[in-house]
Amino acid sequence: MSTSSAFNDEKGGSSSVGEPEYGHDPASGGIFSSDYKRHDDLKEMLDSNKDSLKLEAMKRIVAMIARGKNASDLFPAVVKNVACKNIEVKKLVYVYLVRYAEEQQDLALLSISTFQRGLKDPNQLIRASALRVLSSIRVTIIVPIMMLAIKEAASDMSPYVRKTAAHAIPKLYSLDPEQKDQLIEVIEKLLADKTTLVAGSVVMAFEEVCPERIDLIHKNYRKLCNLLIDVEEWGQVVIINMLTRYARTQFLNPNINESLLEEGGGGEKTFYASDEDEDEDEEKEKKAEAVTMAKRKPYVMDPDHRLLLRNTKPLLQSRNAAVVMAVAQLYFHLAPKAEIGVIAKALVRLLRSHSEVQYVVLQNVATMTIKRRGMFEPYLKSFYIRSTDPTQIKILKLEVLTNLANETNISTILREFQTYIKSMDKDFVAATIQAIGRCATNIGEVRDTCLNGLVQLLSNRDELVVAESVVVIKKLLQMQPEKHSDIIKHMAKLTDNIQVPMARASILWLIGEYCEHVPKIAPDVLRKMAKSFTNEEDIVKLQIINLAAKLYLTNSKQTKLLTQYVLNLAKYDQNYDIRDRARFIRQLIVPTEKSGALSKYAKKLFLALKPAPVLESPFKDRDHFQLGSLSHLLNAKAGGYQELPDWPEAAPDPSVRNVEVPEWTKCSSREKRKEKKVEKPFYSDSEGESGPTESADSESDSGSGSESGSGSEDSRSGSESDESKEASESEEEEEEEEEDLKKKKKKKNEEKQLKKPVQESESEQSSEEEVRKPERKSKQNKSESESESDEDEESESESSESESEDSEDSEAELKKKKKVAPPKPAFKAAKKENKKEKKEMSLLDLDDFEPAPSPQVTPVNTFLSNSLVTDLEGLSLSDAALMPATIAPSSALKSYELLHRITGEGLSVEYCFSRQPFSPDANMVAVQMHFTNNSTSDTKSLHMEDVKLQSGMRVKEFPEIELLPAGETATAVMGIDFCDSTQAANFQLCTHTRKFFVSIQPPVGELMRPFFMTENEFKKEQGQLMGMNEITEKLTLDVKCRNEHTIVQKVTTAANLSRVPCGSDKECRFAGRTVTSSSLVLVTVATKDEGAAQLTVNCEKMVIGTMLVKDILLALTQ
Amino acid sequence: MINSLFLINHSGDIFLEKHWKSVISRSVCDYFFEAKEKAIEPENVPPVLQTPHHYLISIYRDKIFFLSAIQTEVPPLFVIEFLHRVGDTFLDYFGECSETVIKDNVVIVYELLEEMLDNGFPLATESNVLKEMIKPPNILRSVVNTLTGGSHVGDTLPTGQLSNVPWRRAGVKYTNNEAYFDVIEEIDAILDKSGTTVFAEIQGVIEACVRLTGMPDLTLSFMNPRLLDDVSFHPCVRFKRWESERVLSFIPPDGNFTLMTYQVSSQNLVAIPVYVKQNISFLEAGSCGRLDITIGPKQTMGKTVEGLMVTVHMPKAVLSVNLTATQGTHTYDLATKTLVWDIGKLNPQKLPNLRGSLSMQTGVPKPEENPSLNIDLKIQQLAISGLKVSRLDMYGEKYKPFKGVKYLTKAGKFQVRT
């Protein structure tokens, strides 16, 4: 209310007396008689020691600023209040300062010390806002102070302050470009920041300060790609635009093997197929892609290039039009042709947004349709025009429709155009006629139809329409004048009626140009024109002279006098252009003694054959500007526009993007890796998609991103929560450690030896962290426990704890403090040691395989060692230290989710097919279940109930787990006889409180067990399983799995089979028997040159055979 | 990026200006006014203008031009989207986005703008975050504040800024926990003279109003998610879940928000709920015309069509109308030449009809084209595509929320050519 009155008061201006409601306000008792006095009053209020008065005064001042009134004379009075305790007054003072400091630099200096104090404030919001204002006040003297503040803030522990520091960088740069080098250092530092909050802002700073320093991006490229989805919308736009440019310098053109002529050829078919039912076709698309990729052999997409495309694609679903557009332009500029199609749908969606958004999107679509018409064709109708669209939108839609026109859809489009011509919006009608003209030139079949239609328009009542038609007809006729002399005659008649100068000029030009087609009419037209010459517009006059000259040359008998007359009229015209033209033409055509050599060539000069005009889209060639940019929209380079570089001839070294091992262990948060391992231990899901062997970090990150549901949240966890997590993690682990220290010690020692090099670097880093930790923790303890969301698996238990039981919480905190409080060197050393071990543990996930304290039936031992081996293997692979010499067939056990943590209210269950014989019943498949209790309370009596099965199927339940304490895990094994079918087994998983419906569905590869046979036996059996029982499929192996080793690995991962020894190295053979019916399953993979291969499956059970072929095919081609 | 923002009212007065970098004189707007003069209709002002030193990007909404001045290259959509976000924020704070309300709350507006942009780059645009920093005005608070000198500006950093769910504020508490979802579908269609569909599609939006305590994790699933062809989500929705399971899993923002927008796949035929029989003719000689419109139900899925309204933009030559309607009221606005026929509920037994004569300006040739009819309608309790929400589950919190789903079908850009 007070604000409103302040405003009204403002409006009242100098003459007003305070409004009635102000009467009782002590501050405004009717003393607003003049500007001068009012400001006096404000000063008085600002000087008072009552915050409410100050606030009132500041509000009025801000209202003045908002209206654009000058309030600079209040500067001294305002600046005094910069240290005011009241936060709102302070903020308003900041607003004032930022507005006027530039004008009053000396006085502004008075406020600096306050900000410097603010920079040290324990409250991060105050630190950040102090930096914001300090960097915004644009006073050159304080550049060094700003520089210092930015540097300090760049290593602040609050990501919000770091973000503010990133924002401050371009401010300082614009104030003093000399600081560039130092600022680049800060940018480099902030680019390495792992929080999503900072990423967008620092890239923005990068773009403004040093967009040419593309080398700074290398090391952060993969991180940026992986963080992208969790960055806030505005940051996403900036990052995507920057990465587009980056990719253009670092990768090869994916369309390098295609000529542009191919448009509409094979590439597009893939697109259509994938577009129709996109959701299911993901895989198919990829396969097709892989196949096409293999055909065009020389080009192989850099995995990092693929990473970028893959990680930006989901953003097409963003609600923010700018993000969608950014992704669209990225795909347009970077994606292989076959994949660009995906952006069309998203762009069409934007057409339903605000008209301004439509305007920009249509401009870009118009450019895209010229190069890639195919992708928008299915959406033709979305560009139909409504009478309520603003004119500019209509014209752009028309442009797109014209670009999309081809032989097949032209009739529909022309029918649409027909309705448009009747519109009341004449500009739009004119544009439509132009569009018809363009369709006619581009598509030969409809030229006559269009021409006839346009001729009909010549009798339209609206002159503008007629005029526009004449202009377009003129252009069309120029292409084939012989056939259309009747149209020219018709147009000659129009000269009597049409008044629009451009149209008259066009008609005259036409008659002159084709006067031999209308020999009788032409002189008559000239006669009429000569009569009205003086009243014509200039362009018409010029054309009359032109017509006269041409007629004189072809038909001088009839027109000699007329021409003389016209030229004489022109000689005395007011316009010098016309006078000049007349003189020039007279010299040329009328032979006199003096006339030069040129008059001989007059005929050639005037009646030369003129090439037909090409009607082109104004959007042609606009794509050399980066789409979506301001420059593209204006078709002119805007200030600060960064050219989109051409693709390099040869790709620069991709290894520059590799990040050293310690880097990524630090960054790609261990808990992520850990959780990942729990769910899908061997990256099996992401393997197929990108599989860049060198980019271990991207692998792990993208993997976590593609986990269902919670995954996306997890990757959101910034580094700030990282710290606390580290703490809590270590805490937990310490406790656990005591319990099973003994058990583990042995193993650990073994591993330590393997892992020496890595450890060293890690311990270095951890010691560094150790030093910083105490201070951080004390400051963050409070905020962390509340700000931590309960999303992360890790932290959930912790934070819910803190919510529910205060006592426990504080206890935990106490513990934390205790742990870090005495930073004695000796202790530290000890801790370091601890830490080392802890790190290993979290990498190895030993605690996941701990024998749980609950009753259990697992044959854990064999299994444990097994998975330990594989775990180690995964580790060493990623660390590139040790390659396993052999690969055990059962090396990769894929985990499936049975019950999600959230669905299960804290209980999460995963299962995997252990591939161990199930001892109680040999016909059953052993399913290993892994229970984790993430909730805060114990789960009791875990058992299963109410098993629903297809007929014939049987289940051996796992023994009841009586108690699963909070935070613990347990493992159990159950057996299922699937009857050699992939039908799911449905049952209820019960705890003492809840029941959950779950189901287990086996992949076909798990329905068999290995069977050992010799080569001869194999051949013999295979011979008996021919015909219907044999399925053969040709395939192209992925580049990465062309050696025998990987083929064996892939096949055995996909299906539980054993290798059959084989003499030829071109063939791999596998054998197994189905679990229930013991039918033989024989698999042969015969490799040929260049990755071609043939897969043969022989199996009595045809269904199993077919499904198996599909699965193995998938495993081998991805 | 964005240097300055000017708010300009319908008549061309600049009533608010804000600069994030060096001050740009408001004379820069003259270029805009020039373009505005030329455009006649405010919708026709080009959103992007080039002036010698600046680029002007503007949007027009709620009778206000939001005009931003820019000095360097920036994606135009970035600015446009941001300006709309500013408008949305005003709407959210003040209930409407009009000149009066902005002037009345100029200080809050200024504080908001200060938080939303830093150096021209968006800083905080989530309404949940902003509301924690700057409390929306309400009468009680402003009274208390004037008495106590308290302020509506928070002094701690909103937790949303730092958390991984920036759209939700922390410490939400309600006594009644409720989650409502409105599934609203709009039919965009163009019908030609004979009533055949030239183009039709259904666009849907799910508006949510969620008032739940704590940090609830919601899962919304559909009976027939296959219907949805193209979707866009609020950032809170986990895209991976949608891709793999076709369910919407999200931690909602507090309050009202748009959960998703979607388009129904084009293979499905779009049901057109009404048919229109019309005959509009202008006589060559008598400087008058005839109009006869009847509307009847077509595919309404057994529901009643409500809020039926027909809008016709008449040609300029139509001076006045002399019409009688069997149902509802009609008005003809002489200035804009708009005929509005407000019918209300559609009674299938007695079809509404509007007929009569139009009187035309004499001496002017008869209009070339018949005006097209814009139809507006509503059908309660029906999503015309057949989309159905099957269930809403909540995890992460113990209480039982009150849940509700409402369906509504509306006419979007529903046009009948004549």
Side-chain angles (χ1 to χ4, degrees), chain A residues 560-583:
Chain A
K560 190 172 179 186
L561 286 172
L562 265 174
T563 310
Q564 295 281 7
Y565 176 66
V566 168
L567 288 176
N568 280 335
L569 283 178
K571 194 175 172 185
Y572 299 106
D573 199 88
Q574 283 185 325
N575 186 310
Y576 52 79
D577 222 11
I578 293 168
R579 295 199 298 271
D580 283 355
R581 180 74 64 90
R583 187 150 9 115

Side-chain angles (χ1 to χ4, degrees), chain B residues 395-409:
Chain B
Y395 307 102
E397 296 289 338
K398 297 268 182 283
Y399 55 84
K400 282 266 168 281
F402 189 78
K403 301 179 273 195
V405 178
K406 217 167 75 184
Y407 298 94
L408 177 68
T409 296

Side-chain angles (χ1 to χ4, degrees), chain B residues 241-287:
Chain B
R241 270 306 278 290
W242 170 257
E243 275 207 318
S244 58
E245 298 166 53
R246 298 273 146 183
V247 295
L248 298 175
S249 157
F250 56 99
I251 293 177
D254 185 40
N256 297 320
F257 65 100
T258 304
L259 179 62
M260 76 181 288
T261 60
Y262 60 87
Q263 197 201 341
V264 174
S265 56
S266 41
Q267 288 101 322
N268 298 44
L269 280 179
V270 176
I272 304 290
V274 292
Y275 69 85
V276 181
K277 266 197 259 173
Q278 41 75 25
N279 182 19
I280 302 176
S281 56
F282 300 107
L283 303 178
E284 191 73 65
S287 73

Side-chain angles (χ1 to χ4, degrees), chain A residues 66-67 88 123 132 171 234 317 319 349 352 356 386-387 422 461 629-631 639 713 791, chain B residues 17 26 60 73 84 114 118 125-126 151-152 155 203 230-231 233 238 263 366 369 372 413:
Chain A
R67 292 201 65 207
E88 192 172 8
N123 182 337
R132 257 182 83 183
K171 296 186 208 168
W234 313 107
Q317 255 63 49
R319 64 165 171 179
R349 177 190 345 120
R352 284 170 232 141
E356 297 89 5
R386 290 160 210 282
S387 59
K422 286 189 253 155
R461 195 151 352 92
S629 67
L630 185 61
S631 306
E713 234 69 20
E791 270 314 279
Chain B
E17 63 177 78
R26 52 166 70 187
Y60 179 71
E73 167 69 46
H84 274 295
E114 186 74 21
D118 180 15
T125 50
E126 281 298 336
S151 73
H152 58 269
D155 61 347
Q203 275 144 37
D230 181 44
V231 286
F233 298 122
R238 296 174 181 116
Q263 197 201 341
K366 76 161 190 155
E369 183 200 30
S372 52
K413 294 172 184 161

Side-chain angles (χ1 to χ4, degrees), chain A residues 99-132:
Chain A
R99 172 69 179 76
Y100 286 112
E102 204 173 8
E103 295 171 21
Q104 314 227 0
Q105 306 224 345
D106 292 344
L107 282 169
L109 291 178
L110 296 174
S111 62
I112 302 299
S113 62
T114 320
F115 299 131
Q116 282 178 303
R117 224 174 306 131
L119 288 170
K120 302 266 186 295
D121 198 282
N123 182 337
Q124 47 182 344
L125 186 66
I126 293 179
R127 282 204 304 280
S129 70
L131 180 61
R132 257 182 83 183

